[in-house]
Short mmCIF file of all heavy atoms in Angstrom, two decimals:
data_model
loop_
_atom_site.label_atom_id
_atom_site.label_comp_id
_atom_site.label_asym_id
_atom_site.label_seq_id
_atom_site.Cartn_x
_atom_site.Cartn_y
_atom_site.Cartn_z
N GLU V 9 -61.24 204.17 -11.41
CA GLU V 9 -60.56 203.19 -12.20
C GLU V 9 -61.47 202.03 -12.72
O GLU V 9 -61.48 201.84 -13.97
CB GLU V 9 -59.41 202.52 -11.31
CG GLU V 9 -58.76 201.37 -11.93
CD GLU V 9 -58.11 200.44 -10.85
OE1 GLU V 9 -57.74 200.92 -9.83
OE2 GLU V 9 -58.15 199.21 -11.13
N ILE V 10 -62.34 201.57 -11.92
CA ILE V 10 -63.23 200.48 -12.41
C ILE V 10 -64.31 200.98 -13.29
O ILE V 10 -64.74 200.22 -14.22
CB ILE V 10 -63.75 199.71 -11.14
CG1 ILE V 10 -62.61 198.95 -10.40
CG2 ILE V 10 -64.86 198.73 -11.51
CD1 ILE V 10 -61.91 197.83 -11.22
N ILE V 11 -64.90 202.14 -12.97
CA ILE V 11 -65.93 202.70 -13.82
C ILE V 11 -65.35 202.91 -15.31
O ILE V 11 -66.01 202.49 -16.30
CB ILE V 11 -66.44 203.94 -13.25
CG1 ILE V 11 -67.27 203.74 -12.04
CG2 ILE V 11 -67.31 204.76 -14.31
CD1 ILE V 11 -67.61 205.00 -11.21
N CYS V 12 -64.17 203.44 -15.40
CA CYS V 12 -63.52 203.57 -16.72
C CYS V 12 -63.42 202.27 -17.43
O CYS V 12 -63.67 202.08 -18.55
CB CYS V 12 -62.23 204.24 -16.57
SG CYS V 12 -62.26 205.99 -16.26
N LEU V 13 -62.93 201.20 -16.69
CA LEU V 13 -62.73 199.89 -17.26
C LEU V 13 -64.12 199.30 -17.68
O LEU V 13 -64.30 198.84 -18.77
CB LEU V 13 -62.14 198.95 -16.18
CG LEU V 13 -61.98 197.50 -16.60
CD1 LEU V 13 -61.02 197.30 -17.83
CD2 LEU V 13 -61.55 196.68 -15.37
N HIS V 14 -65.13 199.44 -16.81
CA HIS V 14 -66.47 198.85 -17.08
C HIS V 14 -66.99 199.62 -18.34
O HIS V 14 -67.65 198.93 -19.20
CB HIS V 14 -67.31 199.19 -15.92
CG HIS V 14 -68.65 198.59 -16.02
ND1 HIS V 14 -69.00 197.39 -16.34
CD2 HIS V 14 -69.94 199.20 -15.66
CE1 HIS V 14 -70.32 197.14 -16.33
NE2 HIS V 14 -70.87 198.23 -15.89
N ILE V 15 -66.85 200.90 -18.47
CA ILE V 15 -67.38 201.61 -19.61
C ILE V 15 -66.63 201.23 -20.88
O ILE V 15 -67.20 200.92 -21.95
CB ILE V 15 -67.26 203.15 -19.45
CG1 ILE V 15 -68.35 203.56 -18.37
CG2 ILE V 15 -67.61 203.89 -20.69
CD1 ILE V 15 -68.26 205.00 -18.00
N GLU V 16 -65.30 201.07 -20.77
CA GLU V 16 -64.52 200.62 -21.97
C GLU V 16 -64.92 199.33 -22.47
O GLU V 16 -65.01 199.04 -23.67
CB GLU V 16 -63.03 200.62 -21.54
CG GLU V 16 -62.44 202.01 -21.54
CD GLU V 16 -60.86 201.95 -21.29
OE1 GLU V 16 -60.34 200.84 -21.23
OE2 GLU V 16 -60.27 203.02 -21.17
N LYS V 17 -65.19 198.32 -21.57
CA LYS V 17 -65.61 197.01 -21.93
C LYS V 17 -66.97 197.08 -22.60
O LYS V 17 -67.25 196.28 -23.57
CB LYS V 17 -65.65 196.07 -20.71
CG LYS V 17 -64.30 195.78 -20.13
CD LYS V 17 -63.22 195.28 -21.11
CE LYS V 17 -63.51 193.91 -21.64
NZ LYS V 17 -62.36 193.43 -22.49
N GLN V 18 -67.84 198.00 -22.11
CA GLN V 18 -69.20 198.05 -22.75
C GLN V 18 -69.04 198.63 -24.19
O GLN V 18 -69.73 198.18 -25.12
CB GLN V 18 -70.07 198.98 -21.93
CG GLN V 18 -70.44 198.37 -20.60
CD GLN V 18 -71.45 199.26 -19.82
OE1 GLN V 18 -72.55 199.45 -20.16
NE2 GLN V 18 -70.83 199.85 -18.75
N ILE V 19 -68.14 199.58 -24.31
CA ILE V 19 -67.94 200.19 -25.69
C ILE V 19 -67.34 199.13 -26.64
O ILE V 19 -67.75 198.96 -27.79
CB ILE V 19 -66.95 201.42 -25.67
CG1 ILE V 19 -67.73 202.54 -24.87
CG2 ILE V 19 -66.56 201.84 -26.96
CD1 ILE V 19 -66.81 203.64 -24.46
N GLU V 20 -66.37 198.32 -26.13
CA GLU V 20 -65.73 197.22 -26.93
C GLU V 20 -66.81 196.21 -27.30
O GLU V 20 -66.74 195.63 -28.42
CB GLU V 20 -64.66 196.59 -26.13
CG GLU V 20 -63.35 197.38 -26.00
CD GLU V 20 -62.28 196.84 -25.09
OE1 GLU V 20 -62.50 195.59 -24.70
OE2 GLU V 20 -61.47 197.49 -24.59
N ALA V 21 -67.81 195.99 -26.50
CA ALA V 21 -68.84 195.01 -26.76
C ALA V 21 -69.87 195.51 -27.74
O ALA V 21 -70.68 194.69 -28.36
CB ALA V 21 -69.55 194.59 -25.39
N GLY V 22 -69.85 196.81 -27.97
CA GLY V 22 -70.86 197.42 -29.00
C GLY V 22 -71.64 198.61 -28.56
O GLY V 22 -72.49 199.07 -29.31
N ALA V 23 -71.48 199.08 -27.30
CA ALA V 23 -72.24 200.28 -26.86
C ALA V 23 -71.80 201.49 -27.64
O ALA V 23 -70.64 201.66 -27.88
CB ALA V 23 -71.98 200.52 -25.42
N ASP V 24 -72.86 202.21 -28.21
CA ASP V 24 -72.59 203.38 -28.99
C ASP V 24 -72.61 204.75 -28.21
O ASP V 24 -72.14 205.73 -28.64
CB ASP V 24 -73.63 203.49 -30.16
CG ASP V 24 -73.74 202.12 -30.92
OD1 ASP V 24 -72.94 202.03 -31.75
OD2 ASP V 24 -74.73 201.56 -30.76
N VAL V 25 -73.36 204.65 -27.06
CA VAL V 25 -73.52 205.81 -26.17
C VAL V 25 -73.40 205.22 -24.79
O VAL V 25 -73.78 204.13 -24.51
CB VAL V 25 -74.95 206.45 -26.37
CG1 VAL V 25 -75.17 207.52 -25.44
CG2 VAL V 25 -75.18 206.78 -27.90
N ILE V 26 -72.94 206.12 -23.85
CA ILE V 26 -72.86 205.78 -22.49
C ILE V 26 -73.49 206.82 -21.60
O ILE V 26 -73.47 208.01 -21.95
CB ILE V 26 -71.40 205.66 -22.01
CG1 ILE V 26 -70.62 204.52 -22.77
CG2 ILE V 26 -71.18 205.58 -20.52
CD1 ILE V 26 -71.02 203.14 -22.38
N GLN V 27 -74.30 206.33 -20.63
CA GLN V 27 -74.95 207.26 -19.68
C GLN V 27 -74.27 207.06 -18.34
O GLN V 27 -74.15 205.86 -17.89
CB GLN V 27 -76.36 207.17 -19.62
CG GLN V 27 -77.03 207.97 -18.44
CD GLN V 27 -78.25 208.77 -18.84
OE1 GLN V 27 -78.50 209.02 -20.09
NE2 GLN V 27 -79.02 209.17 -17.91
N ILE V 28 -73.89 208.13 -17.63
CA ILE V 28 -73.36 207.99 -16.27
C ILE V 28 -74.43 208.52 -15.23
O ILE V 28 -74.79 209.76 -15.36
CB ILE V 28 -72.06 208.79 -16.11
CG1 ILE V 28 -71.05 208.17 -16.99
CG2 ILE V 28 -71.55 208.76 -14.60
CD1 ILE V 28 -69.66 208.93 -17.03
N PHE V 29 -74.95 207.69 -14.39
CA PHE V 29 -75.99 208.01 -13.53
C PHE V 29 -75.43 208.44 -12.14
O PHE V 29 -74.88 207.63 -11.46
CB PHE V 29 -76.99 206.84 -13.25
CG PHE V 29 -77.80 206.45 -14.43
CD1 PHE V 29 -77.35 205.64 -15.44
CD2 PHE V 29 -79.00 207.01 -14.60
CE1 PHE V 29 -78.15 205.24 -16.45
CE2 PHE V 29 -79.88 206.68 -15.63
CZ PHE V 29 -79.44 205.84 -16.59
N ASP V 30 -75.62 209.74 -11.81
CA ASP V 30 -75.29 210.13 -10.42
C ASP V 30 -76.56 210.46 -9.74
O ASP V 30 -77.01 211.51 -9.45
CB ASP V 30 -74.36 211.36 -10.47
CG ASP V 30 -73.34 211.47 -9.36
OD1 ASP V 30 -73.57 210.61 -8.33
OD2 ASP V 30 -72.48 212.31 -9.29
N SER V 31 -77.26 209.30 -9.41
CA SER V 31 -78.63 209.35 -8.89
C SER V 31 -78.72 210.03 -7.63
O SER V 31 -79.88 210.64 -7.28
CB SER V 31 -79.16 207.88 -8.71
OG SER V 31 -78.96 207.21 -9.93
N TRP V 32 -77.71 210.12 -6.83
CA TRP V 32 -77.78 210.78 -5.43
C TRP V 32 -76.88 212.00 -5.30
O TRP V 32 -76.50 212.37 -4.26
CB TRP V 32 -77.38 209.74 -4.38
CG TRP V 32 -78.39 208.58 -4.33
CD1 TRP V 32 -78.18 207.27 -4.80
CD2 TRP V 32 -79.80 208.71 -4.02
NE1 TRP V 32 -79.26 206.56 -4.61
CE2 TRP V 32 -80.30 207.40 -4.13
CE3 TRP V 32 -80.57 209.71 -3.46
CZ2 TRP V 32 -81.62 207.07 -3.87
CZ3 TRP V 32 -81.86 209.34 -3.19
CH2 TRP V 32 -82.36 208.14 -3.43
N ALA V 33 -76.62 212.67 -6.56
CA ALA V 33 -75.77 213.87 -6.44
C ALA V 33 -76.57 214.97 -5.64
O ALA V 33 -75.93 215.85 -5.03
CB ALA V 33 -75.51 214.40 -7.91
N GLY V 34 -77.90 214.93 -5.58
CA GLY V 34 -78.68 215.95 -4.94
C GLY V 34 -78.59 215.82 -3.39
O GLY V 34 -78.96 216.79 -2.71
N LEU V 35 -77.83 214.80 -2.86
CA LEU V 35 -77.61 214.80 -1.44
C LEU V 35 -76.48 215.62 -0.98
O LEU V 35 -76.31 215.89 0.22
CB LEU V 35 -77.28 213.32 -1.05
CG LEU V 35 -78.30 212.21 -1.24
CD1 LEU V 35 -77.69 210.82 -0.90
CD2 LEU V 35 -79.47 212.53 -0.30
N LEU V 36 -75.62 216.11 -1.87
CA LEU V 36 -74.55 216.91 -1.65
C LEU V 36 -74.78 218.34 -1.46
O LEU V 36 -75.59 218.88 -2.23
CB LEU V 36 -73.45 216.76 -2.71
CG LEU V 36 -72.69 215.42 -2.77
CD1 LEU V 36 -72.12 215.24 -4.19
CD2 LEU V 36 -71.67 215.27 -1.65
N ALA V 37 -74.17 218.99 -0.40
CA ALA V 37 -74.24 220.45 -0.31
C ALA V 37 -73.45 221.11 -1.56
O ALA V 37 -72.56 220.43 -2.09
CB ALA V 37 -73.62 220.87 0.99
N LYS V 38 -73.81 222.28 -1.80
CA LYS V 38 -73.26 222.99 -2.97
C LYS V 38 -71.65 222.99 -2.90
O LYS V 38 -71.00 222.67 -3.88
CB LYS V 38 -73.76 224.40 -3.08
CG LYS V 38 -73.29 225.19 -4.31
CD LYS V 38 -73.89 226.51 -4.43
CE LYS V 38 -73.25 227.39 -5.55
NZ LYS V 38 -73.54 226.85 -6.85
N ASP V 39 -71.23 223.19 -1.66
CA ASP V 39 -69.73 223.31 -1.53
C ASP V 39 -69.06 222.01 -1.71
O ASP V 39 -67.79 221.89 -1.93
CB ASP V 39 -69.41 223.85 -0.06
CG ASP V 39 -69.73 225.29 0.02
OD1 ASP V 39 -70.01 225.97 -0.96
OD2 ASP V 39 -69.79 225.79 1.15
N ASP V 40 -69.71 220.86 -1.62
CA ASP V 40 -69.18 219.56 -1.84
C ASP V 40 -69.36 218.92 -3.19
O ASP V 40 -68.76 217.93 -3.54
CB ASP V 40 -69.82 218.56 -0.78
CG ASP V 40 -69.43 218.89 0.63
OD1 ASP V 40 -68.29 219.24 0.90
OD2 ASP V 40 -70.42 218.78 1.56
N LEU V 41 -70.07 219.69 -4.06
CA LEU V 41 -70.38 219.16 -5.38
C LEU V 41 -69.03 218.97 -6.19
O LEU V 41 -68.97 218.01 -6.90
CB LEU V 41 -71.37 220.04 -6.12
CG LEU V 41 -72.86 219.80 -5.69
CD1 LEU V 41 -73.71 220.96 -6.27
CD2 LEU V 41 -73.35 218.45 -6.20
N ASP V 42 -68.21 219.97 -6.13
CA ASP V 42 -67.02 219.90 -6.96
C ASP V 42 -66.18 218.67 -6.62
O ASP V 42 -65.74 217.95 -7.53
CB ASP V 42 -66.20 221.17 -6.76
CG ASP V 42 -65.00 221.23 -7.73
OD1 ASP V 42 -65.33 221.43 -8.96
OD2 ASP V 42 -63.88 221.19 -7.32
N LYS V 43 -65.97 218.42 -5.40
CA LYS V 43 -65.00 217.28 -5.00
C LYS V 43 -65.66 215.92 -5.28
O LYS V 43 -64.98 215.00 -5.70
CB LYS V 43 -64.69 217.39 -3.50
CG LYS V 43 -63.76 216.26 -3.10
CD LYS V 43 -63.23 216.45 -1.61
CE LYS V 43 -62.51 215.26 -1.15
NZ LYS V 43 -61.34 214.82 -1.83
N TYR V 44 -66.87 215.81 -4.95
CA TYR V 44 -67.56 214.38 -4.94
C TYR V 44 -68.42 214.19 -6.23
O TYR V 44 -68.63 213.00 -6.58
CB TYR V 44 -68.37 214.22 -3.73
CG TYR V 44 -67.48 214.37 -2.45
CD1 TYR V 44 -67.60 215.40 -1.67
CD2 TYR V 44 -66.61 213.39 -2.21
CE1 TYR V 44 -66.83 215.58 -0.53
CE2 TYR V 44 -65.84 213.42 -1.04
CZ TYR V 44 -65.88 214.52 -0.30
OH TYR V 44 -65.08 214.61 0.94
N CYS V 45 -68.84 215.23 -6.93
CA CYS V 45 -69.73 215.01 -8.08
C CYS V 45 -68.99 215.38 -9.40
O CYS V 45 -68.75 214.64 -10.26
CB CYS V 45 -71.01 215.75 -7.93
SG CYS V 45 -72.10 215.82 -9.42
N TYR V 46 -68.56 216.70 -9.49
CA TYR V 46 -68.01 217.22 -10.71
C TYR V 46 -66.65 216.50 -11.08
O TYR V 46 -66.50 216.02 -12.14
CB TYR V 46 -67.72 218.71 -10.68
CG TYR V 46 -68.98 219.54 -10.35
CD1 TYR V 46 -68.80 220.87 -9.83
CD2 TYR V 46 -70.32 219.13 -10.40
CE1 TYR V 46 -69.93 221.69 -9.56
CE2 TYR V 46 -71.37 219.88 -10.12
CZ TYR V 46 -71.16 221.19 -9.65
OH TYR V 46 -72.26 221.89 -9.30
N GLU V 47 -65.75 216.63 -10.12
CA GLU V 47 -64.29 216.13 -10.49
C GLU V 47 -64.26 214.63 -10.77
O GLU V 47 -63.60 214.32 -11.74
CB GLU V 47 -63.40 216.60 -9.33
CG GLU V 47 -62.67 217.92 -9.59
CD GLU V 47 -62.02 218.04 -10.86
OE1 GLU V 47 -61.06 217.32 -11.12
OE2 GLU V 47 -62.48 218.92 -11.63
N PRO V 48 -64.88 213.79 -9.94
CA PRO V 48 -64.70 212.34 -10.27
C PRO V 48 -65.31 212.07 -11.67
O PRO V 48 -64.73 211.20 -12.39
CB PRO V 48 -65.51 211.63 -9.23
CG PRO V 48 -65.51 212.60 -8.02
CD PRO V 48 -65.48 213.93 -8.64
N THR V 49 -66.48 212.67 -12.00
CA THR V 49 -67.11 212.32 -13.31
C THR V 49 -66.27 213.02 -14.44
O THR V 49 -66.09 212.40 -15.46
CB THR V 49 -68.52 213.00 -13.26
OG1 THR V 49 -69.19 212.38 -12.14
CG2 THR V 49 -69.30 212.48 -14.54
#
């Protein structure tokens, strides 16, 4: 919820492109990627 809000406010302020950093996605086992990495993003 808050990430969507934060990004929306950046776009309203003038951001033309957004990058989403999942810097620690590599900590997840393959079986957990869908629930914790893919789906939320």
Side-chain angles (χ1 to χ4, degrees):
E9 170 202 329
I10 292 296
I11 288 167
C12 286
L13 176 65
H14 185 45
I15 290 174
E16 283 186 6
K17 296 305 291 184
Q18 290 181 74
I19 293 168
E20 286 171 17
D24 309 284
V25 179
I26 295 293
Q27 172 135 340
I28 298 177
F29 289 89
D30 213 346
S31 310
W32 297 110
L35 295 173
L36 288 161
K38 183 177 175 64
D39 290 347
D40 293 319
L41 281 168
D42 189 63
K43 178 173 173 58
Y44 299 107
C45 174
Y46 305 160
E47 270 306 297
T49 308

